[in-house]
């Protein structure tokens, strides 16, 4: 089965064709294989593309499990690392909190 189409979201090989779209039977992601694949781009809250090494600013207070205080809005985070196939797709270090993962929808490019 070398001609199987892999799901771009979950990397499953269990996909099927429905009309002009491909559908993943594992995560139910639908995509058009004829279109260019921009799904691996990670965008910030304003729609700007993020890259490894960028600096970002947190746009809202984010509660941290196990910490007495949240990460405040306006906190600048330098030198981020991207994790494309993860829910929390940014790895970073924040002063006072240490190493953590953030979601790209809660940051904007600095």
């Amino acid at each position: 089965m070398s001609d199987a189409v892999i799901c771009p979201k979950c990397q499953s090989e269990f996909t099927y064709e429905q009309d002009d779209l491909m559908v993943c039977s594992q995560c139910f992601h639908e995509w058009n294989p004829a279109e260019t694949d921009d799904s691996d781009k990670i965008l910030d809250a304003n729609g700007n593309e993020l890259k490894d090494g960028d600096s970002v600013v947190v746009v809202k207070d984010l509660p941290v499990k196990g910490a007495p205080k949240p990460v405040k809005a306006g906190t600048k985070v330098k030198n981020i690392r991207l994790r494309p196939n993860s829910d929390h797709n940014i790895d970073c270090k924040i002063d006072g909190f240490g190493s953590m993962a953030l979601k790209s929808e809660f940051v904007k490019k600095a």
Side-chain angles (χ1 to χ4, degrees), residues 58-73:
V58 177
V59 295
K60 68 177 259 185
D61 288 354
L62 300 174
V64 179
K65 194 180 271 189
K69 58 184 178 174
V71 174
K72 296 287 188 180

Side-chain angles (χ1 to χ4, degrees), residues 6-104:
I6 304 295
C7 175
K9 187 172 182 182
C10 71
Q11 306 303 318
S12 172
E13 61 184 25
F14 302 110
T15 59
Y16 59 92
E17 190 171 347
Q18 182 177 23
D19 298 327
D20 292 339
L21 300 176
M22 292 299 294
V23 181
C24 177
S25 63
Q26 301 295 308
C27 68
F28 304 107
H29 177 65
E30 297 179 352
W31 73 98
N32 186 349
E35 293 180 0
T36 57
D37 187 24
D38 292 335
S39 64
D40 56 344
K41 289 185 179 180
I42 296 178
L43 306 176
D44 69 356
N46 295 331
N48 298 321
E49 184 179 359
L50 296 173
K51 298 191 185 294
D52 283 336
D54 281 347
S55 294
V56 295
V57 176
V58 177
V59 295
K60 68 177 259 185
D61 288 354
L62 300 174
V64 179
K65 194 180 271 189
K69 58 184 178 174
V71 174
K72 296 287 188 180
T75 302
K76 188 170 184 177
V77 182
K78 299 177 184 177
N79 197 19
I80 64 170
R81 291 176 308 280
L82 301 179
R83 300 178 354 184
N85 294 326
S86 177
D87 185 33
H88 290 76
N89 47 14
I90 297 175
D91 273 338
C92 61
K93 289 184 182 176
I94 299 178
D95 292 336
F97 291 96
S99 186
M100 65 174 38
L102 299 173
K103 291 186 177 183
S104 60

